[in-house]
Amino acid sequence: MKPNVHTALTHEPWNKGKLVGQKAPLKLKDIWAIRVRLQLSNDLRNLALFNLAIDSKLRACDLVKLRVRDIAHGEHVAPRAIVMQQKTQRPVQFEITQQTRESLVRWIRYKQLRADDFIFSSRIHASLHLSTRQYARIVDAWVVAIGLDPTAYGTHTMRRTKASLIYRRTKNLRAVQLLLGHTKLESTVRYLGIEVDDALEMAEQTEV
């Protein structure tokens, strides 16, 4: 009996040729490499998007739907904000650092955005705000520009980056859980890959 060629072609594994697993967070030098490139190119939108993505630690679906009123009062961008997460329907708070506030103010003024406007509108007329797919392509462009492998990074990279840096500096897992808006501590452990990373770190420091 001849094999069904059509079936063989259409049942290719979904993960063939793809890197599966958690997307790597950016290192501090990577953050500054991307930020400086955006500053030098005077890319107001992407600089504001990059800075807010790092600070907010939001999922892509929540980040792209942020409106001006979520983070600003008039022209004043608040040092802290709170939003309802789409996935969990639970509120999460995040800080907005000085440099992020400054980049947001420049972008909001440049676009003359009002309180109800999406911060990052789509350049495609059919969509009111940046889509998660568009955002993913932007993130890919950022990592490629500084010589990183785009298959190892993605939108979750942006969510994980500051959380990972905070954990590395403080080892305060509960604080990171709150910042990420996770309901269970176990989720934060899995999300950051803490157990594996800590085990490797201990192994590296142990000479035999």
Side-chain angles (χ1 to χ4, degrees):
M1 189 181 203
K2 291 183 179 180
N4 188 325
V5 177
H6 178 71
T7 301
L9 290 174
T10 56
H11 280 73
E12 185 175 278
W14 68 270
N15 58 352
K16 185 177 181 181
K18 296 180 180 178
L19 187 66
V20 180
Q22 292 283 17
K23 295 299 184 181
L26 295 173
K27 297 176 181 176
L28 205 54
K29 65 181 179 65
D30 301 327
I31 295 172
W32 279 104
I34 293 172
R35 185 175 282 145
V36 168
R37 280 177 175 271
L38 294 173
Q39 289 171 338
L40 291 175
S41 62
N42 200 31
D43 191 339
L44 298 184
R45 185 193 73 161
N46 280 348
L47 180 60
L49 178 61
F50 178 78
N51 285 339
L52 188 56
I54 293 291
D55 273 358
S56 71
K57 302 166 288 294
L58 290 173
R59 295 178 182 88
C61 60
D62 295 320
L63 179 69
V64 297
K65 291 179 182 174
L66 285 176
R67 296 177 187 266
V68 174
R69 64 170 182 247
D70 293 323
I71 55 102
H73 308 286
E75 285 197 350
H76 175 70
V77 175
R80 291 183 182 180
I82 182 169
V83 297
M84 190 67 70
Q85 299 174 96
Q86 180 177 303
K87 182 178 179 180
T88 64
Q89 290 302 301
R90 291 167 64 93
V92 65
Q93 294 189 65
F94 57 89
E95 77 290 351
I96 307 177
T97 58
Q98 180 67 33
Q99 64 182 343
T100 300
R101 294 201 299 272
E102 290 172 357
S103 62
L104 283 165
V105 167
R106 286 194 295 270
W107 172 243
I108 290 168
R109 285 178 179 169
Y110 174 73
K111 292 292 288 184
Q112 298 182 326
L113 298 177
R114 295 166 298 182
D116 284 339
D117 290 336
F118 289 106
I119 303 173
F120 306 109
S121 58
S122 175
R123 290 170 181 170
I124 299 172
H125 295 299
S127 179
L128 293 174
H129 59 76
L130 195 69
S131 70
T132 53
R133 183 169 292 185
Q134 288 172 305
Y135 174 46
R137 284 197 291 265
I138 291 170
V139 173
D140 281 351
W142 289 339
V143 299
V144 167
I146 62 168
L148 298 177
D149 180 359
T151 61
Y153 300 85
T155 57
H156 266 290
T157 289
M158 307 306 294
R159 175 161 158 77
R160 294 183 69 208
T161 291
K162 196 165 186 177
S164 296
L165 289 171
I166 291 168
Y167 177 74
R168 287 282 159 240
R169 289 176 183 173
T170 68
K171 300 295 183 181
N172 189 330
L173 194 55
R174 173 61 179 162
V176 176
Q177 178 195 4
L178 292 171
L179 292 169
L180 289 172
H182 285 160
T183 54
K184 295 180 179 179
L185 202 61
E186 293 82 0
S187 300
T188 308
V189 171
R190 285 197 305 273
Y191 193 79
L192 296 181
I194 285 169
E195 290 174 330
V196 173
D197 285 352
D198 284 355
L200 288 171
E201 191 175 299
M202 285 187 287
E204 288 167 352
Q205 294 171 359
T206 304
E207 293 185 11
V208 294

